[in-house]
Amino acid sequence: MAHNHSHSHHHHHEHGTNNYSRAFMIGIILNLGFVIIEAVYGYLAHSLALLADAGHNMSDVLGLLLAWGASFLGSRPPSQRYTYGLRRSSILAALINAIALLLVMGGIAWEALQRFHTPASVGGNTVIAVAMVGIFINTITALMFMSGRKHDLNIRGAFLHMAADAGVSLGVVLAGIAIVFTGWLWFDPVVSLIIVAVVVFGTWQLLKDSVNLALDAVPEGIEPLAVQTYLSELPGVTQIHDLHIWAMSTTETALTAHLVMSSGHPGDDFLVQTCKELHDHFGIEHSTLQIEIGDSNQTCALASHHKV
C-alpha cells in the first residue's frame, strides 16, 4: 500500500489576520471608549437604559477580543502537540460569538416585553445623543469587517455583533424621537423587538454554520459529490473510499481520500497536479491522498462506507 501526502498550502488566512488586526484594534478602542461614555452619562442622567447598554457594549468588546484572539491563534505555527496549529480556535470563536449574540438579543426581547406592561420613559435628549454616537461607532466598526464576512465565519461573527449594535442604537434614537414628538411609550419596545427579530435571523445562520464546522461537516460552498466525482474520474483511478472533507479553520478546508489505482503509484507529479486542481476548483487548501493498488489479499480496513 503506497501512502502519499501532498500538501498545497496557500496561507491566505495569515494575510486575513494582518488585514483585520488593525480593524480589531480600532474597533476595540472605539467601543471601549463608548462604554465609558455610556456608563458616565448613564450615571449622571440616572438612565438605567444607558447603563444597561454600557454593559451590553462591554460584551461587544469581549466579542471583538475573542474574534481577534482566534484570528491571531489561527496564524500560529503548528507544534508537536497541536499538529494543525490552533486554526480551529476561529471556529470556536464564531460559535461563542453567535451564542453570546443570541443570549444578548434574548435579554433585549425580555426587557422589551416587560416594557409593554410597565412603560419606561426614554430619557429624552441625553439618551438620543449617546445612542447616535453608538450608531456612528458601531457602523464604522462593522464596515471594517464587512469585506471579510463572506469568506471567514469568525470575521462574520464580529461583523454581525457590530451591525446588531448599530441597529439597537438606531432603535433607541428612533424610539426617543418618536416618544418626544408623540408621547407613545410603546414605540420603544416595538422597535426593540423588530431589531431583535432581524438580528436573530442573521445570527441563526452564523450559529448553524459554526456548529456544522465544529462537527466536521463539509463546509458550505463545497459539494462533496462533485469532489468525489472529480477524484473518481482521474486517469488510472478505479475506486475511491475514505473521503473526508472538513474545516481546519473558518477559512481553510482539508481533505483526505484513498485512491485505488491498480496500475500502481502514478508518481509525485500526479499528486501535485491533483492537489492543485482540488485547490483551484473546490478551494481545498490541505489535501492528503493515499494511493492503494487494490490487492485483493490486502483489503483496506477503511474501504467500507460505514467505516470512519
Side-chain angles (χ1 to χ4, degrees):
M1 189 188 288
H3 192 97
N4 212 91
H5 292 268
S6 181
H7 303 307
S8 165
H9 279 307
H10 294 256
H11 290 291
H12 64 254
H13 65 279
E14 287 182 10
H15 305 314
T17 306
N18 295 339
N19 287 349
Y20 292 108
S21 275
R22 183 193 286 173
F24 278 121
M25 192 164 64
I26 294 169
I28 287 165
I29 291 167
L30 285 176
N31 280 274
L32 206 50
F34 185 49
V35 167
I36 295 163
I37 291 168
E38 273 197 311
V40 169
Y41 276 97
Y43 179 74
L44 294 176
H46 303 292
S47 167
L48 190 63
L50 277 182
L51 287 172
D53 202 43
H56 162 217
N57 279 312
M58 193 62 212
S59 79
D60 291 337
V61 174
L62 297 176
L64 282 175
L65 280 168
L66 182 74
W68 191 12
S71 251
F72 172 73
L73 289 174
S75 64
R76 305 290 294 154
S79 66
Q80 281 192 314
R81 177 68 58 192
Y82 296 99
T83 54
Y84 276 130
L86 298 169
R87 290 168 166 75
R88 255 190 127 84
S89 54
S90 60
I91 296 173
L92 293 177
L95 182 58
I96 294 166
N97 249 329
I99 293 168
L101 200 45
L102 288 173
L103 287 173
V104 166
M105 288 302 124
I108 291 173
W110 176 254
E111 175 67 24
L113 292 172
Q114 301 293 96
R115 286 200 173 186
F116 280 116
H117 300 297
T118 51
S121 59
V122 175
N125 299 332
T126 305
V127 175
I128 293 170
V130 174
M132 284 181 88
V133 176
I135 296 173
F136 177 71
I137 286 173
N138 289 314
T139 304
I140 283 179
T141 312
L143 288 172
M144 288 191 292
F145 295 112
M146 196 169 174
S147 62
R149 77 190 193 285
K150 287 199 167 83
H151 316 292
D152 185 344
L153 215 56
N154 185 34
I155 298 295
R156 198 201 314 172
F159 168 77
L160 274 174
H161 231 115
M162 294 298 110
D165 271 15
V168 170
S169 297
L170 178 63
V172 172
V173 171
L174 292 176
I177 292 169
I179 288 164
V180 166
F181 282 104
T182 63
W184 295 341
L185 294 180
W186 55 263
F187 200 83
D188 182 36
V190 166
V191 170
S192 296
L193 287 174
I194 291 168
I195 290 164
V196 165
V198 171
V199 173
V200 167
F201 181 75
T203 309
W204 193 252
Q205 190 61 41
L206 174 70
L207 181 70
K208 211 172 82 174
D209 289 350
S210 46
V211 166
N212 282 341
L213 293 192
L215 294 174
D216 286 338
V218 177
E220 285 283 327
I222 295 177
E223 184 46 65
L225 199 59
V227 177
Q228 186 170 355
T229 305
Y230 162 74
L231 289 171
S232 58
E233 286 176 354
L234 287 169
V237 173
T238 53
Q239 199 201 339
I240 166 176
H241 57 262
D242 199 38
L243 171 64
H244 297 283
I245 307 164
W246 73 99
M248 290 163 64
S249 72
T250 48
T251 56
E252 281 180 297
T253 304
L255 169 148
T256 56
H258 292 200
L259 307 180
V260 178
M261 304 183 79
S262 45
S263 55
H265 195 289
D268 287 356
D269 190 44
F270 168 87
L271 290 167
V272 169
Q273 192 56 36
T274 303
C275 289
K276 185 181 182 306
E277 288 186 13
L278 283 169
H279 174 267
D280 295 348
H281 296 310
F282 303 104
I284 296 167
E285 282 85 358
H286 189 113
S287 298
T288 306
L289 301 171
Q290 176 166 310
I291 306 297
E292 294 168 12
I293 310 300
D295 184 346
S296 53
N297 300 321
Q298 299 288 336
T299 313
C300 176
L302 299 170
S304 164
H305 284 304
H306 307 295
K307 274 279 176 73
V308 175

